[in-house]
Amino acid sequence: MKAPRQVLPGTTYLVTRRCSQRQFLLRPSKTTNAIFLYVLAVATRRFGMKIHAFCVLSNHFHLVLTDPSARLPAFEQYLDSLVARAINATLGRWESFWAPSSYSAVALASPADIVDKTAYVLANPVAAGLVRRARDWPGLWSAPALIGGASLHAVRPAAFFRDDGSMPPTAELQLVAPEGFESPVAFRDQVTGALVAAEARAGSAVERRGRGFLGRARVLSQNPLAQPATGEPRRQLNPRVASRDKWKRVETLARLLEFVERYRAARRARRAGQRDALFPPGTYLLRIAHGVACAPA
């Protein structure tokens, strides 16, 4: 049985979702960028998420966000489903848009880990050998300067959404700082410094491989139905938490293991007929779909 996902209010995550067969279905274009930004803005407002950073590459996307009300699965289902249907419609395709595995959500254990993963997300176009500077990426990319600043304004794209439908004509998306930082400026400054270092490391790694950078023009000319020529490692670890502090990582994993054990014990009790079995905090699907009793967070 697959390990249950613990969804606790107030958790900050690095969220990742990959396209089917690693195809370039999210390849930057005016239409694709507009669809993703609009749906992200609508989903963020609908489910009360706090977005800290995002980067949409040609075959996957990354978000760094905080989930105040433990609604991440519903947010992801809404975002992924609507993005898939809208972009599939613009590409004239009907097949699965996302890889068959679910999205990855890695809980970030400390403010330092949030800064590290935010810099990782924003340096991704450089690490992938696409552009020399992350700010040159032609797809959706959240500049650190936007954190705590003016909202991004997204207009409902005409490519998929009806004028007389239920979707709002516009949506606003504001990047905010997570908890644990003195101010948005403090978070923004830390992310900016970490991004400079991450870009330098990623650029040096690309040059050592002797591959060079693809560049904006070649990225924009890619066929959305194509996929990378190089393979991808399989059967890699799928982490649930991230922390550069060894002991915080050990502590967080121990709490996660305790959750899994308590969840499975409660599930066995419920299947044996104990309808009032108490599930641990962070139980999501059984709480939403079947109304099981859960201990307070």
Side-chain angles (χ1 to χ4, degrees):
M1 182 177 66
K2 184 178 179 180
R5 190 192 298 273
Q6 186 181 33
V7 184
L8 289 170
T11 303
T12 299
Y13 297 97
L14 165 60
V15 175
T16 304
R17 192 75 198 263
R18 300 187 180 279
C19 294
S20 176
Q21 301 295 315
R22 301 170 67 217
Q23 289 179 294
F24 300 137
L25 302 176
L26 291 169
R27 183 211 64 191
S29 71
K30 183 177 180 180
T31 299
T32 295
N33 294 354
I35 287 173
F36 199 104
L37 180 62
Y38 174 77
V39 176
L40 177 61
V42 172
T44 297
R45 181 177 179 84
R46 178 181 289 250
F47 296 98
M49 295 293 163
K50 295 182 178 180
I51 306 298
H52 312 306
F54 58 79
C55 181
V56 181
L57 270 70
S58 296
N59 61 9
H60 67 281
F61 72 82
H62 294 297
L63 304 173
V64 180
L65 57 80
T66 296
D67 179 12
S69 304
R71 304 183 73 189
L72 179 66
F75 166 82
E76 265 299 304
Q77 192 279 331
Y78 183 92
L79 174 70
D80 294 351
S81 173
L82 203 48
V83 165
R85 286 185 286 141
I87 296 181
N88 259 351
T90 68
L91 296 177
R93 68 189 299 275
W94 298 89
E95 293 80 7
S96 296
F97 190 91
W98 303 110
S101 57
S102 181
Y103 64 93
S104 167
V106 180
L108 306 180
S110 72
D113 300 312
I114 297 174
V115 171
D116 282 351
K117 292 305 182 185
T118 301
Y120 161 80
V121 164
L122 298 182
N124 226 224
V126 182
L130 300 172
V131 289
R132 188 174 296 277
R133 293 178 298 272
R135 64 177 180 269
D136 294 334
W137 175 242
L140 287 184
W141 182 83
S142 62
L146 293 172
I147 298 167
S151 298
L152 296 171
H153 182 75
V155 177
R156 181 178 59 212
F160 175 77
F161 302 97
R162 299 196 312 268
D163 289 341
D164 60 349
S166 60
M167 300 293 286
T170 62
E172 304 292 325
L173 177 65
Q174 184 174 34
L175 298 185
V176 299
E179 297 292 330
F181 295 88
E182 293 181 3
S183 66
V185 173
F187 177 61
R188 185 170 67 225
D189 289 347
Q190 289 187 45
V191 168
T192 300
L195 174 59
V196 170
E199 280 186 316
R201 290 192 302 269
S204 296
V206 170
E207 291 172 354
R208 284 196 301 271
R209 295 196 297 267
R211 292 175 55 186
F213 294 92
L214 193 62
R216 289 173 56 97
R218 292 175 67 184
V219 166
L220 293 171
S221 67
Q222 288 176 323
N223 182 346
L225 304 183
Q227 59 193 91
T230 57
E232 184 180 42
R234 300 291 182 178
R235 296 182 176 86
Q236 300 284 75
L237 293 176
N238 184 21
R240 295 288 184 94
V241 300
S243 177
R244 61 182 180 182
D245 183 308
K246 174 183 175 180
W247 298 112
K248 184 174 287 292
R249 185 168 65 251
V250 168
E251 177 188 358
T252 305
L253 288 172
R255 288 200 302 266
L256 181 59
L257 179 60
E258 179 187 9
F259 162 79
V260 172
E261 291 173 345
R262 290 176 59 189
Y263 175 94
R264 288 177 173 170
R267 191 169 185 270
R268 287 194 298 268
R270 185 176 174 86
R271 294 183 68 180
Q274 187 178 333
R275 307 303 293 176
D276 60 348
L278 188 65
F279 283 76
T283 298
Y284 182 81
L285 183 59
L286 290 181
R287 174 174 58 86
I288 296 298
H290 302 288
V292 301
C294 296

